[in-house]
Amino acid sequence: MSGATRARPLRADAQANYERLLTQARLAFAEAGTGASLEDIARRAGVGTGTFYRHFPSREALLEAVLHDRFDQLTARADELAAATTPEAALTRWLGEFLEATSVYRGLTATLTQTLRDPSTALHAACVALRAAGSALLTAAQRAGDIRSDLTALELFTLVGGLAWSCEQASAAVPGGVTVDRLLALTLDGLRATDTARRSD
């Protein structure tokens, strides 16, 4: 449970309501995307809207609770990969896992983009941490001479965000049978440092 969502332990009945809400939220988001009806989630969990909003005062708070563990693991994963493999391989593998995590629900990519611009949202801190983790991997790959040095973190995440949107729309494939893994590979091919790019540094 996220500390941002709940500061102290719940009574047993309240904890049961909380867990049912999270379970139904995951199901609803998988079916209808992040815009799923909050009232429907409460109904499916067998609680009233008042109980729902006591646990989750906003849609972003609910999403933070649903995604908290997944995003924390992905943030930590950047350090694991950096210690275990080459900078380029670490960046490549982490971006693939980032794509998988951020396209799990339809509409999530747009939601995450919005939360990065709004520090008041419950998801903001998790998004900032993810961005910082990926930026560190990018910097390491650039210092190793593997990725072109003129690429900024903002540009990288804008490109990957576009791939995540494609993944959302077609469940890991875009029209024509082109997989998102293939699109990521092509994108990274275009971002690798060339001899010309190295001479210009």
Side-chain angles (χ1 to χ4, degrees), residues 4-153:
T5 303
R6 182 66 59 180
R8 58 187 179 186
L10 298 171
R11 300 188 319 269
D13 58 338
Q15 181 68 38
N17 287 338
Y18 179 89
E19 297 298 339
R20 282 201 305 274
L21 283 165
L22 283 184
T23 296
Q24 293 305 322
R26 292 186 181 101
L27 292 172
F29 291 151
E31 294 167 1
T34 58
S37 166
L38 301 184
E39 290 75 13
D40 185 54
I41 292 171
R43 179 187 59 77
R44 290 166 61 165
V47 304
T49 54
T51 297
F52 176 92
Y53 285 109
R54 279 194 295 274
H55 287 292
F56 308 109
S58 67
R59 183 180 299 275
E60 288 74 21
L62 177 60
L63 277 168
E64 196 277 340
V66 167
L67 298 167
H68 181 78
D69 289 346
R70 182 189 297 263
F71 281 8
D72 276 1
Q73 290 166 4
L74 184 57
T75 298
R77 180 73 170 141
D79 288 337
E80 295 174 5
L81 288 170
T85 187
T86 65
E88 182 182 7
L91 177 64
T92 299
R93 289 178 61 181
W94 188 85
L95 287 175
E97 294 176 20
F98 175 87
L99 269 171
E100 182 179 357
T102 56
S103 59
V104 64
Y105 301 129
R106 193 166 65 253
L108 183 56
T109 300
T111 299
L112 297 180
T113 300
Q114 292 168 1
T115 60
L116 270 171
R117 303 190 187 111
D118 186 356
S120 69
T121 63
L123 271 169
H124 180 77
C127 290
V128 170
L130 279 175
R131 179 70 64 91
S135 296
L137 292 177
L138 171 62
T139 297
Q142 289 174 318
R143 287 175 177 167
D146 298 324
I147 300 295
R148 53 187 302 159
S149 61
D150 60 344
L151 176 70
T152 68

Side-chain angles (χ1 to χ4, degrees), residues 157-180:
F157 279 98
T158 299
L159 288 169
V160 174
L163 297 185
W165 181 87
S166 296
C167 186
E168 285 179 15
Q169 303 308 302
S171 300
V174 293
V178 180
T179 66
V180 171

Side-chain angles (χ1 to χ4, degrees), residues 169-190:
Q169 303 308 302
S171 300
V174 293
V178 180
T179 66
V180 171
D181 285 345
R182 168 69 173 164
L183 291 180
L184 177 59
L186 290 171
T187 299
L188 289 172
D189 279 346

